[in-house]
């Protein structure tokens, strides 16, 4: 099994920065990719950033150039560095671990962290 524990959410002013952390424990060798998603009130959950097992990264167009996903393999933590934040970045942010075995996909989710950007 894999467990995810998030930290680092809070209130930040527009233009500021915030870093989210996701501590990963359990069978981490089974993880194919780690991602951050977000869900704003009344909207669907959307992918923000993903880092694959080979270290490659991808970002939603809305956060490219402002957000950065990274990982520290020494302490099994994934980070989302958020810079130049905007009020539209306000959402609950979720850490996700994805495992793929043959054709089966297993998604594990963190508890969610509220990020509020004030204008």
């Amino acid at each position: 099994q894999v467990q995810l524990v998030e930290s680092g959410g809070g209130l930040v002013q527009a233009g500021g920065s915030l870093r989210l952390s996701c501590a990963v424990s359990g069978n981490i060798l089974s993880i194919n990719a780690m991602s951050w998603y977000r869900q704003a009130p009344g909207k669907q959950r959307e992918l923000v950033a993903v880092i694959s097992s080979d270290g490659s990264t991808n970002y939603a167009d809305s956060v490219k150039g402002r957000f950065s996903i990274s990982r520290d393999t020494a302490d099994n933590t994934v980070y989302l560095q958020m810079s130049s934040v905007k009020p539209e970045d306000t959402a609950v942010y979720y850490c996700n671990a994805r495992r793929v075995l043959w054709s089966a996909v297993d998604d594990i989710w963190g508890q969610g962290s509220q990020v509020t950007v004030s204008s």
Side-chain angles (χ1 to χ4, degrees):
Q1 280 291 2
V2 173
Q3 295 83 40
L4 307 177
V5 178
E6 302 176 32
S7 60
L11 176 65
V12 59
Q13 286 190 332
S17 299
L18 197 67
R19 189 177 77 164
L20 302 180
S21 301
C22 177
V24 187
S25 61
N27 187 10
I28 60 174
L29 295 179
S30 66
I31 297 172
N32 296 92
M34 295 292 301
S35 303
W36 288 95
Y37 285 74
R38 68 185 181 187
Q39 188 166 19
K43 295 188 177 181
Q44 289 190 331
R45 191 172 296 190
E46 64 173 356
L47 177 65
V48 176
V50 57
I51 185 166
S52 299
S53 55
D54 64 0
S56 59
T57 59
N58 275 292
Y59 299 90
D61 288 342
S62 58
V63 306
K64 277 181 183 176
R66 300 189 298 120
F67 291 11
S68 176
I69 187 170
S70 63
R71 64 186 181 188
D72 186 332
T73 54
D75 62 5
N76 298 326
T77 303
V78 177
Y79 301 98
L80 183 69
Q81 178 67 48
M82 307 166 62
S83 303
S84 302
V85 295
K86 305 174 181 179
E88 51 263 43
D89 294 322
T90 295
V92 177
Y93 284 71
Y94 296 91
C95 180
N96 167 273
R98 173 160 288 186
R99 302 186 294 183
V100 180
L101 180 61
W102 300 105
S103 59
V105 177
D106 181 25
D107 281 315
I108 301 99
W109 297 93
Q111 79 277 17
S113 294
Q114 177 68 49
V115 173
T116 302
V117 181
S118 62
S119 57

